[in-house]
Short mmCIF file of all heavy atoms in Angstrom, two decimals:
data_model
loop_
_atom_site.label_atom_id
_atom_site.label_comp_id
_atom_site.label_asym_id
_atom_site.label_seq_id
_atom_site.Cartn_x
_atom_site.Cartn_y
_atom_site.Cartn_z
N MET A 1230 51.99 -15.96 20.78
CA MET A 1230 52.58 -16.67 19.60
C MET A 1230 51.61 -17.69 19.09
O MET A 1230 51.49 -17.98 17.90
CB MET A 1230 53.95 -17.23 20.01
CG MET A 1230 54.58 -17.94 18.85
SD MET A 1230 56.09 -18.76 19.25
CE MET A 1230 57.17 -17.40 19.74
N LEU A 1231 50.95 -18.49 20.01
CA LEU A 1231 50.07 -19.49 19.67
C LEU A 1231 48.94 -18.90 18.80
O LEU A 1231 48.50 -19.47 17.78
CB LEU A 1231 49.55 -20.26 20.84
CG LEU A 1231 48.51 -21.38 20.56
CD1 LEU A 1231 49.07 -22.33 19.63
CD2 LEU A 1231 48.06 -22.03 21.89
N ARG A 1232 48.40 -17.76 19.18
CA ARG A 1232 47.35 -17.06 18.39
C ARG A 1232 47.82 -16.80 16.86
O ARG A 1232 47.09 -16.98 16.00
CB ARG A 1232 46.85 -15.84 19.10
CG ARG A 1232 45.86 -16.11 20.17
CD ARG A 1232 45.21 -14.81 20.67
NE ARG A 1232 46.07 -13.98 21.47
CZ ARG A 1232 46.32 -14.18 22.74
NH1 ARG A 1232 45.59 -14.97 23.43
NH2 ARG A 1232 47.19 -13.38 23.41
N GLU A 1233 49.05 -16.29 16.88
CA GLU A 1233 49.59 -16.07 15.53
C GLU A 1233 49.81 -17.31 14.76
O GLU A 1233 49.54 -17.35 13.48
CB GLU A 1233 50.97 -15.29 15.66
CG GLU A 1233 50.82 -13.86 16.16
CD GLU A 1233 52.11 -13.18 16.44
OE1 GLU A 1233 53.15 -13.88 16.47
OE2 GLU A 1233 52.16 -11.99 16.45
N CYS A 1234 50.33 -18.39 15.39
CA CYS A 1234 50.58 -19.65 14.72
C CYS A 1234 49.08 -20.22 14.28
O CYS A 1234 49.16 -20.96 13.17
CB CYS A 1234 51.18 -20.55 15.70
SG CYS A 1234 53.01 -20.29 15.84
N ARG A 1235 48.11 -20.02 14.96
CA ARG A 1235 46.77 -20.56 14.62
C ARG A 1235 46.27 -19.85 13.45
O ARG A 1235 45.15 -20.25 12.92
CB ARG A 1235 45.79 -20.49 15.80
CG ARG A 1235 46.11 -21.56 16.97
CD ARG A 1235 44.95 -21.82 17.76
NE ARG A 1235 45.27 -22.75 18.83
CZ ARG A 1235 45.26 -24.05 18.69
NH1 ARG A 1235 44.93 -24.56 17.45
NH2 ARG A 1235 45.54 -24.99 19.71
N ILE A 1236 46.82 -18.82 12.95
CA ILE A 1236 46.47 -18.12 11.74
C ILE A 1236 47.46 -18.63 10.61
O ILE A 1236 47.07 -18.91 9.48
CB ILE A 1236 46.41 -16.68 11.76
CG1 ILE A 1236 45.36 -16.19 12.87
CG2 ILE A 1236 46.07 -15.98 10.48
CD1 ILE A 1236 45.48 -14.69 13.11
N LEU A 1237 48.69 -18.64 10.98
CA LEU A 1237 49.78 -18.97 10.06
C LEU A 1237 49.57 -20.38 9.58
O LEU A 1237 49.59 -20.61 8.33
CB LEU A 1237 51.17 -18.87 10.81
CG LEU A 1237 52.26 -19.36 9.84
CD1 LEU A 1237 52.51 -18.37 8.58
CD2 LEU A 1237 53.61 -19.34 10.67
N VAL A 1238 49.35 -21.32 10.41
CA VAL A 1238 49.15 -22.76 9.96
C VAL A 1238 48.06 -23.03 8.98
O VAL A 1238 48.11 -23.57 7.95
CB VAL A 1238 49.12 -23.68 11.18
CG1 VAL A 1238 48.60 -25.09 10.77
CG2 VAL A 1238 50.39 -23.79 11.96
N PRO A 1239 46.86 -22.41 9.27
CA PRO A 1239 45.77 -22.55 8.31
C PRO A 1239 46.09 -21.93 6.97
O PRO A 1239 45.64 -22.45 5.92
CB PRO A 1239 44.53 -21.91 9.03
CG PRO A 1239 44.81 -22.07 10.41
CD PRO A 1239 46.37 -21.91 10.51
N ALA A 1240 46.79 -20.88 7.03
CA ALA A 1240 47.23 -20.20 5.80
C ALA A 1240 48.11 -21.13 4.97
O ALA A 1240 47.96 -21.21 3.72
CB ALA A 1240 47.99 -18.82 6.03
N MET A 1241 49.04 -21.77 5.58
CA MET A 1241 49.89 -22.82 4.92
C MET A 1241 49.04 -23.94 4.33
O MET A 1241 49.13 -24.22 3.06
CB MET A 1241 50.89 -23.36 5.87
CG MET A 1241 51.94 -22.44 6.39
SD MET A 1241 52.89 -23.12 7.72
CE MET A 1241 53.67 -24.56 6.87
N VAL A 1242 48.15 -24.49 5.14
CA VAL A 1242 47.35 -25.57 4.63
C VAL A 1242 46.40 -25.08 3.52
O VAL A 1242 46.23 -25.93 2.51
CB VAL A 1242 46.51 -26.14 5.81
CG1 VAL A 1242 45.62 -27.30 5.32
CG2 VAL A 1242 47.47 -26.65 6.90
N THR A 1243 45.86 -23.98 3.60
CA THR A 1243 44.97 -23.47 2.60
C THR A 1243 45.76 -23.26 1.29
O THR A 1243 45.20 -23.61 0.14
CB THR A 1243 44.45 -22.12 2.98
OG1 THR A 1243 43.69 -22.21 4.20
CG2 THR A 1243 43.48 -21.49 1.91
N ALA A 1244 47.02 -22.85 1.27
CA ALA A 1244 47.80 -22.69 0.07
C ALA A 1244 47.92 -24.10 -0.55
O ALA A 1244 47.80 -24.05 -1.86
CB ALA A 1244 49.27 -22.06 0.48
N TRP A 1245 48.09 -25.08 0.11
CA TRP A 1245 48.23 -26.46 -0.50
C TRP A 1245 47.04 -26.82 -1.12
O TRP A 1245 46.99 -27.56 -2.17
CB TRP A 1245 48.78 -27.41 0.52
CG TRP A 1245 50.08 -27.05 1.10
CD1 TRP A 1245 51.12 -26.32 0.54
CD2 TRP A 1245 50.50 -27.25 2.47
NE1 TRP A 1245 52.16 -26.22 1.35
CE2 TRP A 1245 51.90 -26.72 2.60
CE3 TRP A 1245 49.97 -27.98 3.59
CZ2 TRP A 1245 52.61 -26.74 3.77
CZ3 TRP A 1245 50.70 -27.95 4.70
CH2 TRP A 1245 52.04 -27.43 4.83
N ARG A 1246 45.82 -26.43 -0.63
CA ARG A 1246 44.56 -26.90 -1.16
C ARG A 1246 44.36 -26.23 -2.56
O ARG A 1246 43.47 -26.68 -3.33
CB ARG A 1246 43.37 -26.47 -0.19
CG ARG A 1246 43.51 -27.18 1.10
CD ARG A 1246 43.17 -28.66 1.02
NE ARG A 1246 44.30 -29.43 0.55
CZ ARG A 1246 45.34 -29.83 1.32
NH1 ARG A 1246 45.42 -29.51 2.49
NH2 ARG A 1246 46.25 -30.67 0.75
N TRP A 1247 45.07 -25.18 -2.80
CA TRP A 1247 44.89 -24.51 -4.15
C TRP A 1247 45.86 -24.92 -5.20
O TRP A 1247 45.92 -24.39 -6.28
CB TRP A 1247 44.88 -22.96 -4.00
CG TRP A 1247 43.66 -22.54 -3.23
CD1 TRP A 1247 43.44 -22.38 -1.94
CD2 TRP A 1247 42.29 -22.18 -3.82
NE1 TRP A 1247 42.13 -21.95 -1.62
CE2 TRP A 1247 41.37 -21.81 -2.85
CE3 TRP A 1247 41.87 -22.22 -5.17
CZ2 TRP A 1247 40.13 -21.55 -3.12
CZ3 TRP A 1247 40.51 -21.87 -5.43
CH2 TRP A 1247 39.70 -21.58 -4.29
N ASP A 1248 46.82 -25.79 -4.78
CA ASP A 1248 47.77 -26.35 -5.75
C ASP A 1248 46.99 -27.06 -6.80
O ASP A 1248 46.15 -27.94 -6.39
CB ASP A 1248 48.68 -27.32 -5.02
CG ASP A 1248 49.84 -27.76 -5.81
OD1 ASP A 1248 49.80 -27.70 -7.10
OD2 ASP A 1248 50.89 -28.25 -5.25
N ARG A 1249 47.24 -26.85 -7.98
CA ARG A 1249 46.51 -27.61 -9.17
C ARG A 1249 46.66 -29.11 -9.04
O ARG A 1249 45.81 -29.87 -9.59
CB ARG A 1249 47.04 -27.01 -10.46
CG ARG A 1249 48.43 -27.54 -10.76
CD ARG A 1249 49.00 -26.94 -12.06
NE ARG A 1249 50.32 -27.38 -12.33
CZ ARG A 1249 51.21 -26.84 -13.19
NH1 ARG A 1249 50.84 -25.78 -13.85
NH2 ARG A 1249 52.45 -27.31 -13.33
N ASP A 1250 47.77 -29.54 -8.37
CA ASP A 1250 48.00 -31.04 -8.31
C ASP A 1250 47.43 -31.58 -6.97
O ASP A 1250 47.74 -32.80 -6.72
CB ASP A 1250 49.54 -31.34 -8.45
CG ASP A 1250 50.06 -30.84 -9.80
OD1 ASP A 1250 49.23 -31.01 -10.80
OD2 ASP A 1250 51.17 -30.40 -9.90
N ASP A 1251 46.76 -30.80 -6.19
CA ASP A 1251 46.32 -31.31 -4.92
C ASP A 1251 45.19 -32.41 -5.16
O ASP A 1251 44.33 -32.18 -5.94
CB ASP A 1251 45.79 -30.13 -4.16
CG ASP A 1251 45.23 -30.61 -2.72
OD1 ASP A 1251 46.07 -31.26 -2.04
OD2 ASP A 1251 44.10 -30.29 -2.33
N GLN A 1252 45.39 -33.53 -4.45
CA GLN A 1252 44.47 -34.57 -4.63
C GLN A 1252 43.62 -34.88 -3.34
O GLN A 1252 42.95 -35.87 -3.35
CB GLN A 1252 45.21 -35.92 -5.02
CG GLN A 1252 46.01 -35.78 -6.30
CD GLN A 1252 46.75 -37.11 -6.65
OE1 GLN A 1252 46.05 -38.08 -6.72
NE2 GLN A 1252 48.02 -36.94 -6.83
N LEU A 1253 43.63 -33.98 -2.47
CA LEU A 1253 42.82 -34.26 -1.25
C LEU A 1253 41.37 -34.14 -1.57
O LEU A 1253 40.87 -33.18 -2.22
CB LEU A 1253 43.02 -33.16 -0.18
CG LEU A 1253 42.37 -33.32 1.14
CD1 LEU A 1253 42.86 -34.40 1.92
CD2 LEU A 1253 42.32 -32.04 2.01
N PRO A 1254 40.54 -35.23 -1.31
CA PRO A 1254 39.07 -35.18 -1.60
C PRO A 1254 38.45 -33.96 -0.95
O PRO A 1254 38.74 -33.60 0.16
CB PRO A 1254 38.60 -36.45 -0.92
CG PRO A 1254 39.78 -37.41 -0.91
CD PRO A 1254 41.02 -36.46 -0.66
N ASP A 1255 37.62 -33.26 -1.83
CA ASP A 1255 37.01 -32.03 -1.31
C ASP A 1255 37.90 -30.93 -0.97
O ASP A 1255 37.53 -29.98 -0.20
CB ASP A 1255 36.18 -32.41 -0.16
CG ASP A 1255 34.83 -31.46 -0.10
OD1 ASP A 1255 34.47 -31.00 -1.13
OD2 ASP A 1255 34.20 -31.55 0.98
N GLY A 1256 39.18 -30.98 -1.47
CA GLY A 1256 40.15 -30.02 -1.03
C GLY A 1256 39.80 -28.56 -1.36
O GLY A 1256 40.07 -27.67 -0.64
N ARG A 1257 39.23 -28.39 -2.60
CA ARG A 1257 38.95 -27.07 -3.03
C ARG A 1257 37.88 -26.34 -2.18
O ARG A 1257 37.99 -25.23 -1.90
CB ARG A 1257 38.55 -27.10 -4.53
CG ARG A 1257 38.42 -25.72 -5.15
CD ARG A 1257 39.69 -24.87 -5.04
NE ARG A 1257 40.91 -25.56 -5.53
CZ ARG A 1257 41.34 -25.68 -6.76
NH1 ARG A 1257 40.58 -25.11 -7.71
NH2 ARG A 1257 42.39 -26.30 -7.00
N ARG A 1258 36.87 -27.10 -1.81
CA ARG A 1258 35.79 -26.61 -0.91
C ARG A 1258 36.45 -26.21 0.38
O ARG A 1258 36.12 -25.11 0.98
CB ARG A 1258 34.70 -27.63 -0.68
CG ARG A 1258 33.55 -27.15 0.23
CD ARG A 1258 32.65 -28.23 0.70
NE ARG A 1258 33.34 -29.20 1.49
CZ ARG A 1258 33.55 -29.02 2.82
NH1 ARG A 1258 33.18 -27.89 3.46
NH2 ARG A 1258 34.13 -29.96 3.57
N LEU A 1259 37.38 -27.07 0.95
CA LEU A 1259 38.06 -26.81 2.22
C LEU A 1259 38.88 -25.54 2.10
O LEU A 1259 38.91 -24.67 2.95
CB LEU A 1259 38.87 -27.96 2.64
CG LEU A 1259 38.17 -29.20 3.15
CD1 LEU A 1259 39.10 -30.38 3.28
CD2 LEU A 1259 37.27 -28.92 4.34
N GLY A 1260 39.54 -25.41 0.88
CA GLY A 1260 40.42 -24.25 0.76
C GLY A 1260 39.56 -22.93 0.77
O GLY A 1260 39.99 -21.87 1.35
N THR A 1261 38.39 -22.97 0.15
CA THR A 1261 37.50 -21.77 0.17
C THR A 1261 37.08 -21.49 1.54
O THR A 1261 37.00 -20.33 1.97
CB THR A 1261 36.31 -22.06 -0.79
OG1 THR A 1261 36.84 -22.24 -2.09
CG2 THR A 1261 35.41 -20.83 -0.83
N GLU A 1262 36.69 -22.57 2.27
CA GLU A 1262 36.13 -22.38 3.67
C GLU A 1262 37.23 -21.74 4.55
O GLU A 1262 36.93 -20.91 5.27
CB GLU A 1262 35.62 -23.71 4.15
CG GLU A 1262 35.17 -23.71 5.70
CD GLU A 1262 34.80 -25.04 6.16
OE1 GLU A 1262 34.27 -25.84 5.37
OE2 GLU A 1262 35.07 -25.33 7.32
N TRP A 1263 38.43 -22.25 4.41
CA TRP A 1263 39.61 -21.80 5.23
C TRP A 1263 39.97 -20.40 4.91
O TRP A 1263 40.48 -19.57 5.84
CB TRP A 1263 40.73 -22.75 5.12
CG TRP A 1263 40.40 -24.12 5.73
CD1 TRP A 1263 39.46 -24.47 6.65
CD2 TRP A 1263 41.10 -25.35 5.36
NE1 TRP A 1263 39.41 -25.82 6.89
CE2 TRP A 1263 40.41 -26.38 6.18
CE3 TRP A 1263 42.04 -25.73 4.55
CZ2 TRP A 1263 40.86 -27.73 6.16
CZ3 TRP A 1263 42.51 -27.02 4.46
CH2 TRP A 1263 41.93 -28.03 5.26
N LEU A 1264 39.76 -20.07 3.66
CA LEU A 1264 40.09 -18.56 3.31
C LEU A 1264 39.18 -17.65 4.11
O LEU A 1264 39.59 -16.58 4.48
CB LEU A 1264 39.90 -18.32 1.85
CG LEU A 1264 41.09 -18.67 0.92
CD1 LEU A 1264 40.59 -18.74 -0.57
CD2 LEU A 1264 42.23 -17.77 1.09
N GLY A 1265 37.95 -18.11 4.19
CA GLY A 1265 36.96 -17.26 5.00
C GLY A 1265 37.29 -17.15 6.48
O GLY A 1265 37.26 -16.05 7.06
N ARG A 1266 37.86 -18.25 7.05
CA ARG A 1266 38.26 -18.30 8.39
C ARG A 1266 39.43 -17.39 8.70
O ARG A 1266 39.51 -16.68 9.70
CB ARG A 1266 38.47 -19.67 8.86
CG ARG A 1266 37.32 -20.60 8.82
CD ARG A 1266 37.71 -21.93 9.46
NE ARG A 1266 36.47 -22.97 9.43
CZ ARG A 1266 36.61 -24.17 9.86
NH1 ARG A 1266 37.78 -24.72 10.21
NH2 ARG A 1266 35.50 -24.84 9.73
N ILE A 1267 40.49 -17.50 7.74
CA ILE A 1267 41.64 -16.56 7.83
C ILE A 1267 41.24 -15.22 7.72
O ILE A 1267 41.74 -14.31 8.62
CB ILE A 1267 42.66 -17.05 6.78
CG1 ILE A 1267 43.19 -18.36 6.90
CG2 ILE A 1267 43.87 -16.03 6.79
CD1 ILE A 1267 43.88 -18.94 5.80
N ARG A 1268 40.41 -14.85 6.82
CA ARG A 1268 40.02 -13.35 6.64
C ARG A 1268 39.23 -12.91 7.95
O ARG A 1268 39.49 -11.78 8.44
CB ARG A 1268 39.01 -13.33 5.42
CG ARG A 1268 38.76 -11.89 5.09
CD ARG A 1268 38.03 -11.86 3.72
NE ARG A 1268 39.00 -11.83 2.60
CZ ARG A 1268 39.08 -12.95 1.76
NH1 ARG A 1268 38.43 -13.95 1.98
NH2 ARG A 1268 40.09 -12.76 0.87
N ALA A 1269 38.49 -13.82 8.54
CA ALA A 1269 37.74 -13.46 9.73
C ALA A 1269 38.75 -13.30 10.90
O ALA A 1269 38.59 -12.30 11.66
CB ALA A 1269 36.69 -14.48 10.11
N ALA A 1270 39.74 -14.22 11.00
CA ALA A 1270 40.69 -14.07 12.07
C ALA A 1270 41.59 -12.79 11.98
O ALA A 1270 41.94 -12.31 13.08
CB ALA A 1270 41.51 -15.33 12.04
N LEU A 1271 41.83 -12.34 10.81
CA LEU A 1271 42.58 -11.15 10.59
C LEU A 1271 41.70 -9.96 10.64
O LEU A 1271 42.25 -8.79 10.57
CB LEU A 1271 43.23 -11.23 9.32
CG LEU A 1271 44.37 -12.21 9.23
CD1 LEU A 1271 44.86 -12.43 7.71
CD2 LEU A 1271 45.55 -11.91 10.04
N GLY A 1272 40.35 -10.04 10.75
CA GLY A 1272 39.51 -8.95 10.85
C GLY A 1272 39.32 -8.23 9.48
O GLY A 1272 39.03 -7.04 9.49
N ARG A 1273 39.48 -8.92 8.41
CA ARG A 1273 39.40 -8.27 7.06
C ARG A 1273 38.02 -8.46 6.59
O ARG A 1273 37.49 -9.63 6.44
CB ARG A 1273 40.39 -8.88 6.12
CG ARG A 1273 41.91 -8.55 6.52
CD ARG A 1273 42.83 -8.91 5.45
NE ARG A 1273 44.25 -8.68 5.79
CZ ARG A 1273 45.24 -8.81 4.88
NH1 ARG A 1273 44.99 -9.18 3.64
NH2 ARG A 1273 46.47 -8.54 5.35
#
Side-chain angles (χ1 to χ4, degrees):
M1230 183 185 292
L1231 180 56
R1232 279 190 288 271
E1233 291 177 338
C1234 286
R1235 286 200 181 278
I1236 299 174
L1237 176 65
V1238 166
M1241 294 171 58
V1242 177
T1243 301
W1245 299 329
R1246 298 290 74 83
W1247 290 92
D1248 188 341
R1249 68 185 179 195
D1250 297 325
D1251 183 50
Q1252 297 183 56
L1253 183 73
D1255 213 17
R1257 190 55 51 82
R1258 182 192 65 79
L1259 290 172
T1261 301
E1262 178 182 324
W1263 294 338
L1264 276 168
R1266 293 182 182 179
I1267 295 167
R1268 188 170 277 108
L1271 293 171
R1273 295 194 182 183

